[in-house]
Structure formats: C-alpha cells, structure tokens
Short mmCIF file of all heavy atoms in Angstrom, two decimals:
data_model
loop_
_atom_site.label_atom_id
_atom_site.label_comp_id
_atom_site.label_asym_id
_atom_site.label_seq_id
_atom_site.Cartn_x
_atom_site.Cartn_y
_atom_site.Cartn_z
N LEU P 16 -42.33 -17.29 -6.39
CA LEU P 16 -42.19 -18.72 -6.08
C LEU P 16 -43.24 -19.55 -6.82
O LEU P 16 -42.96 -20.67 -7.26
CB LEU P 16 -42.27 -18.94 -4.58
CG LEU P 16 -41.06 -18.42 -3.79
CD1 LEU P 16 -41.30 -18.53 -2.29
CD2 LEU P 16 -39.79 -19.18 -4.16
N LYS P 17 -44.44 -18.99 -6.97
CA LYS P 17 -45.47 -19.70 -7.75
C LYS P 17 -45.04 -19.84 -9.20
O LYS P 17 -45.19 -20.91 -9.82
CB LYS P 17 -46.80 -18.95 -7.66
CG LYS P 17 -47.53 -19.15 -6.34
CD LYS P 17 -48.67 -18.17 -6.14
CE LYS P 17 -49.77 -18.33 -7.13
NZ LYS P 17 -50.91 -17.41 -6.86
N MET P 18 -44.47 -18.77 -9.77
CA MET P 18 -43.99 -18.82 -11.15
C MET P 18 -42.84 -19.82 -11.30
O MET P 18 -42.64 -20.40 -12.37
CB MET P 18 -43.55 -17.44 -11.61
CG MET P 18 -44.70 -16.47 -11.90
SD MET P 18 -44.17 -14.94 -12.68
CE MET P 18 -43.30 -14.12 -11.34
N GLU P 19 -42.09 -20.01 -10.20
CA GLU P 19 -40.98 -20.96 -10.23
C GLU P 19 -41.45 -22.39 -9.99
O GLU P 19 -40.64 -23.32 -9.92
CB GLU P 19 -39.94 -20.57 -9.17
CG GLU P 19 -39.21 -19.27 -9.45
CD GLU P 19 -38.23 -19.39 -10.61
OE1 GLU P 19 -37.72 -20.51 -10.84
OE2 GLU P 19 -37.99 -18.38 -11.29
N GLY P 20 -42.77 -22.58 -9.84
CA GLY P 20 -43.33 -23.91 -9.72
C GLY P 20 -43.55 -24.42 -8.32
O GLY P 20 -43.88 -25.60 -8.12
N PHE P 21 -43.43 -23.54 -7.32
CA PHE P 21 -43.63 -23.98 -5.94
C PHE P 21 -45.10 -23.90 -5.54
O PHE P 21 -45.81 -22.96 -5.93
CB PHE P 21 -42.79 -23.13 -4.99
CG PHE P 21 -41.33 -23.44 -5.01
CD1 PHE P 21 -40.50 -22.84 -5.94
CD2 PHE P 21 -40.79 -24.36 -4.12
CE1 PHE P 21 -39.14 -23.14 -5.99
CE2 PHE P 21 -39.44 -24.67 -4.16
CZ PHE P 21 -38.61 -24.07 -5.10
N LYS P 22 -45.54 -24.89 -4.77
CA LYS P 22 -46.91 -24.90 -4.27
C LYS P 22 -47.00 -24.04 -3.03
O LYS P 22 -46.30 -24.28 -2.04
CB LYS P 22 -47.36 -26.33 -3.95
CG LYS P 22 -48.77 -26.42 -3.37
CD LYS P 22 -49.18 -27.86 -3.13
CE LYS P 22 -50.51 -27.94 -2.38
NZ LYS P 22 -51.60 -27.20 -3.06
N ILE P 23 -47.87 -23.03 -3.06
CA ILE P 23 -48.06 -22.11 -1.94
C ILE P 23 -49.36 -22.45 -1.23
O ILE P 23 -50.43 -22.55 -1.86
CB ILE P 23 -48.10 -20.64 -2.43
CG1 ILE P 23 -46.86 -20.31 -3.27
CG2 ILE P 23 -48.24 -19.70 -1.24
CD1 ILE P 23 -45.55 -20.41 -2.54
N VAL P 24 -49.30 -22.65 0.06
CA VAL P 24 -50.50 -22.97 0.84
C VAL P 24 -51.48 -21.81 0.75
O VAL P 24 -51.11 -20.64 0.93
CB VAL P 24 -50.12 -23.26 2.31
CG1 VAL P 24 -51.38 -23.44 3.16
CG2 VAL P 24 -49.24 -24.49 2.40
N THR P 25 -52.74 -22.11 0.47
CA THR P 25 -53.85 -21.17 0.20
C THR P 25 -53.66 -20.42 -1.12
O THR P 25 -54.44 -19.54 -1.46
CB THR P 25 -54.11 -20.14 1.32
OG1 THR P 25 -53.12 -19.10 1.27
CG2 THR P 25 -54.14 -20.76 2.70
N ASN P 26 -52.60 -20.76 -1.86
CA ASN P 26 -52.33 -20.17 -3.17
C ASN P 26 -52.06 -18.67 -3.12
O ASN P 26 -52.22 -17.96 -4.11
CB ASN P 26 -53.49 -20.44 -4.15
CG ASN P 26 -53.05 -20.28 -5.60
OD1 ASN P 26 -51.94 -20.67 -5.97
ND2 ASN P 26 -53.91 -19.71 -6.42
N GLY P 27 -51.68 -18.16 -1.95
CA GLY P 27 -51.37 -16.74 -1.85
C GLY P 27 -51.24 -16.29 -0.42
O GLY P 27 -51.16 -17.09 0.51
N THR P 28 -51.26 -14.97 -0.23
CA THR P 28 -51.16 -14.39 1.12
C THR P 28 -51.86 -13.04 1.17
O THR P 28 -51.91 -12.32 0.17
CB THR P 28 -49.68 -14.23 1.53
OG1 THR P 28 -49.63 -13.66 2.85
CG2 THR P 28 -48.92 -13.30 0.59
N ASP P 29 -52.40 -12.72 2.34
CA ASP P 29 -52.99 -11.40 2.60
C ASP P 29 -52.16 -10.60 3.59
O ASP P 29 -52.47 -9.45 3.86
CB ASP P 29 -54.40 -11.55 3.20
CG ASP P 29 -55.37 -12.24 2.27
OD1 ASP P 29 -55.26 -12.04 1.05
OD2 ASP P 29 -56.23 -13.00 2.77
N ASN P 30 -51.14 -11.24 4.16
CA ASN P 30 -50.44 -10.57 5.25
C ASN P 30 -48.92 -10.59 5.06
O ASN P 30 -48.43 -10.37 3.96
CB ASN P 30 -50.86 -11.15 6.61
CG ASN P 30 -50.68 -12.67 6.69
OD1 ASN P 30 -49.78 -13.24 6.08
ND2 ASN P 30 -51.51 -13.31 7.49
N HIS P 31 -48.18 -10.88 6.11
CA HIS P 31 -46.73 -10.77 6.11
C HIS P 31 -46.00 -12.07 5.87
O HIS P 31 -44.77 -12.10 5.88
CB HIS P 31 -46.28 -10.23 7.48
CG HIS P 31 -46.61 -11.16 8.61
ND1 HIS P 31 -47.91 -11.53 8.90
CD2 HIS P 31 -45.83 -11.83 9.50
CE1 HIS P 31 -47.91 -12.37 9.92
NE2 HIS P 31 -46.66 -12.57 10.30
N LEU P 32 -46.75 -13.16 5.68
CA LEU P 32 -46.09 -14.45 5.58
C LEU P 32 -46.72 -15.32 4.50
O LEU P 32 -47.84 -15.08 4.04
CB LEU P 32 -46.10 -15.18 6.92
CG LEU P 32 -47.45 -15.60 7.53
CD1 LEU P 32 -47.93 -16.94 6.98
CD2 LEU P 32 -47.34 -15.71 9.05
N LEU P 33 -45.96 -16.33 4.09
CA LEU P 33 -46.47 -17.34 3.19
C LEU P 33 -45.89 -18.69 3.57
O LEU P 33 -44.82 -18.77 4.16
CB LEU P 33 -46.14 -17.02 1.73
CG LEU P 33 -44.68 -16.74 1.39
CD1 LEU P 33 -44.33 -17.35 0.03
CD2 LEU P 33 -44.45 -15.22 1.30
N LEU P 34 -46.64 -19.73 3.25
CA LEU P 34 -46.20 -21.10 3.51
C LEU P 34 -45.92 -21.79 2.19
O LEU P 34 -46.75 -21.76 1.28
CB LEU P 34 -47.28 -21.88 4.26
CG LEU P 34 -47.52 -21.54 5.73
CD1 LEU P 34 -48.69 -22.37 6.26
CD2 LEU P 34 -46.28 -21.82 6.55
N VAL P 35 -44.75 -22.40 2.08
CA VAL P 35 -44.35 -23.11 0.88
C VAL P 35 -44.35 -24.60 1.16
O VAL P 35 -43.68 -25.06 2.09
CB VAL P 35 -42.95 -22.67 0.40
CG1 VAL P 35 -42.60 -23.35 -0.92
CG2 VAL P 35 -42.87 -21.15 0.26
N ASP P 36 -45.10 -25.36 0.37
CA ASP P 36 -45.13 -26.81 0.50
C ASP P 36 -43.94 -27.36 -0.30
O ASP P 36 -44.05 -27.65 -1.49
CB ASP P 36 -46.44 -27.37 -0.03
CG ASP P 36 -46.59 -28.87 0.22
OD1 ASP P 36 -45.57 -29.56 0.36
OD2 ASP P 36 -47.74 -29.34 0.28
N THR P 37 -42.80 -27.48 0.36
CA THR P 37 -41.59 -27.94 -0.32
C THR P 37 -41.66 -29.43 -0.67
O THR P 37 -41.06 -29.87 -1.65
CB THR P 37 -40.34 -27.68 0.54
OG1 THR P 37 -40.54 -28.24 1.85
CG2 THR P 37 -40.08 -26.20 0.66
N LYS P 38 -42.39 -30.19 0.11
CA LYS P 38 -42.48 -31.63 -0.12
C LYS P 38 -43.16 -31.92 -1.45
O LYS P 38 -42.66 -32.70 -2.27
CB LYS P 38 -43.24 -32.29 1.03
CG LYS P 38 -43.16 -33.81 1.04
CD LYS P 38 -41.77 -34.30 1.37
CE LYS P 38 -41.72 -35.82 1.50
NZ LYS P 38 -40.35 -36.32 1.70
N LYS P 39 -44.31 -31.28 -1.68
CA LYS P 39 -45.03 -31.49 -2.93
C LYS P 39 -44.35 -30.78 -4.10
O LYS P 39 -44.45 -31.22 -5.24
CB LYS P 39 -46.48 -31.02 -2.80
CG LYS P 39 -47.37 -31.96 -2.01
CD LYS P 39 -48.81 -31.53 -2.04
CE LYS P 39 -49.68 -32.52 -1.27
NZ LYS P 39 -51.11 -32.09 -1.23
N SER P 40 -43.67 -29.69 -3.81
CA SER P 40 -43.06 -28.90 -4.88
C SER P 40 -41.80 -29.56 -5.44
O SER P 40 -41.66 -29.70 -6.67
CB SER P 40 -42.70 -27.50 -4.36
OG SER P 40 -43.84 -26.81 -3.91
N ILE P 41 -40.88 -29.95 -4.55
CA ILE P 41 -39.59 -30.49 -5.02
C ILE P 41 -39.15 -31.74 -4.26
O ILE P 41 -38.00 -32.15 -4.35
CB ILE P 41 -38.48 -29.41 -4.92
CG1 ILE P 41 -38.42 -28.83 -3.49
CG2 ILE P 41 -38.68 -28.31 -5.94
CD1 ILE P 41 -37.27 -27.88 -3.27
N GLY P 42 -40.08 -32.33 -3.49
CA GLY P 42 -39.75 -33.55 -2.76
C GLY P 42 -38.79 -33.36 -1.61
O GLY P 42 -38.12 -34.30 -1.17
#
C-alpha cells in the first residue's frame, strides 16, 4: 500500500494491523 502511494499511520506496523489514512491518500 505504501508503494501504491497510500499514507500509513506510523509508516509501518509491528503487529497484526495497519491504519491507512485514506483521506490524505486519495481524498
């Protein structure tokens, strides 16, 4: 998703989940 241009909260993950900021990524 990062390579596809999406903004990921904390820029990554250490566990089982990730948060995608869709508002900033694609409005």
Side-chain angles (χ1 to χ4, degrees):
L16 290 173
K17 283 167 65 177
M18 286 189 289
E19 292 289 331
F21 286 86
K22 177 177 173 55
I23 306 298
V24 174
T25 77
N26 200 39
T28 180
D29 298 325
N30 55 31
H31 64 299
L32 65 84
L33 53 142
L34 287 177
V35 184
D36 187 335
T37 52
K38 192 69 175 175
K39 284 186 178 178
S40 300
I41 53 174

